[in-house]
Amino acid sequence: MSFVQVNGADIHYEMTGETGPCLVLIHGSGGSAALWPEELLRLPGVRVAALDLPGHGRSGGRPSDRVEDYARVVAGVVESLGLSGVYLLGHSLGGAIALQLALSSPPWLSGVILVGSGARLRVFPAILEGLENDFAGSLDMMDRFLFSPGTDESIIRASRRSAETAGQKAVLADFTACDRFDVMERLGEISVPALVVSADNDALTPAKYGKFMADAIPDARFALLSGTGHMMALEKPKEVAALVSSFLSGG
Ligand code: COA
């Protein structure tokens, strides 16, 4: 288990692989590094760092309701570890954080991979109200939006545990950060290559959001996964890992 101090908080990360390009995994709302599938954590020929955002998983610090705050923490982790040639892979809120960082063109950034995400992430008012007033009930409701029908129960339970561990304040802060996020007008400024991955059964970040990013980011490719929902890296880990491998090797 490894930690790095960023802005006075101990940020937890797990690093695997010794050579190759560096992939930094940024989880979504209420998630943690523990939720990534083995297929991504141990991508052959790639150094992979999976981190817990502040107030999530094993990280200290406080969650934030601003994507910009999370982006500063991720940059702090990358810079403290002295990483270069970094590809940021973000899921949902994590994708928003990766986009925010790409817009600031840090010298260590080589590319972004945006999985189940969007350049604007308005949230159903019922989700925000539910998180505020009935946390358990809102997690029940969310399970229906996050996964496609027939998803293995063990995957749904792992995701649920992660949100329960993060707790009500963190999950509400994350969704509020999403709701405030909007860089739709700025995607043309992104100067690194991007891979956008969407799913045909994603009710939270519809494929339309992914297509919009792929059309507006100057150097972007788009992949649409079928038969999966918002949690596509958990539902279709092999397919997502294959897309990421191909992108990292310039394919
Ligand atoms: N990329 C491309 N288009 C987008 C977009 C994105 N990231 N975000 C919004 N749009 C489009 C919408 O499709 C809509 O287009 P339309 O007028 O042709 O239908 C338009 O921009 C306005 O949408 P929005 O800004 O979202 O406001 P709204 O008041 O119409 O809808 C919600 C609000 C919450 C109902 C809607 O955003 C939604 O369905 N969100 C997805 C569910 C959710 O809660 N996701 C959580 C994200 S973490």
Side-chain angles (χ1 to χ4, degrees):
M1 210 185 306
S2 308
F3 291 89
V4 63
Q5 274 244 331
V6 179
N7 299 339
D10 287 324
I11 302 299
H12 168 249
Y13 68 97
E14 295 291 343
M15 194 130 191
T16 59
E18 274 155 29
T19 54
C22 186
L23 184 66
V24 173
L25 305 179
I26 314 170
H27 61 75
S29 296
S32 76
L35 260 192
W36 293 107
E38 283 295 305
E39 286 86 344
L40 280 176
L41 290 170
R42 299 186 192 286
L43 208 58
V46 178
R47 286 177 300 152
V48 181
L51 58 84
D52 287 330
L53 291 171
H56 296 70
R58 297 174 194 273
S59 285
R62 290 181 183 193
S64 173
D65 55 12
R66 297 271 171 194
V67 167
E68 294 89 333
D69 291 338
Y70 284 141
R72 272 191 288 275
V73 172
V74 173
V77 171
V78 169
E79 284 156 19
S80 300
L81 296 177
L83 304 176
S84 58
V86 169
Y87 290 81
L88 295 172
L89 185 161
H91 173 245
S92 200
L93 168 65
I97 297 167
L99 278 176
Q100 190 70 46
L101 279 164
L103 285 168
S104 67
S105 305
W108 44 261
L109 186 65
S110 289
V112 288
I113 302 169
L114 308 162
V115 179
S117 196
R120 173 173 163 90
L121 292 174
R122 291 281 305 282
V123 177
F124 285 131
I127 293 182
L128 293 171
E129 281 157 26
L131 287 171
E132 192 130 28
N133 302 319
D134 173 16
F135 185 50
S138 70
L139 295 186
D140 289 340
M141 172 175 70
M142 216 99 77
D143 286 347
R144 294 202 306 276
F145 289 121
L146 289 173
F147 296 95
S148 56
T151 302
D152 197 293
E153 274 301 315
S154 65
I155 295 179
I156 299 177
R157 272 201 304 275
S159 155
R160 172 75 178 234
R161 254 196 320 274
S162 163
E164 283 167 352
T165 305
Q168 179 179 20
K169 274 195 181 144
V171 182
L172 180 58
D174 290 351
F175 274 96
T176 305
C178 286
D179 196 50
R180 289 173 167 161
F181 181 70
D182 183 358
V183 296
M184 283 179 79
E185 303 293 326
R186 297 191 57 200
L187 295 176
E189 298 170 34
I190 293 178
S191 59
V192 291
L195 168 66
V196 180
V197 184
S198 295
D200 64 349
N201 206 5
D202 184 346
L204 285 185
T205 53
K208 171 184 181 178
Y209 291 10
K211 188 75 177 47
F212 182 89
M213 292 191 288
D215 287 344
I217 296 173
D219 181 3
R221 62 213 73 180
F222 178 64
L224 180 65
L225 294 171
S226 55
T228 180
H230 187 62
M231 300 301 276
M232 58 202 83
L234 289 173
E235 288 191 42
K236 299 274 182 194
K238 287 191 181 66
E239 289 84 343
V240 173
L243 288 167
V244 174
S245 271
S246 163
F247 176 66
L248 294 182
S249 59

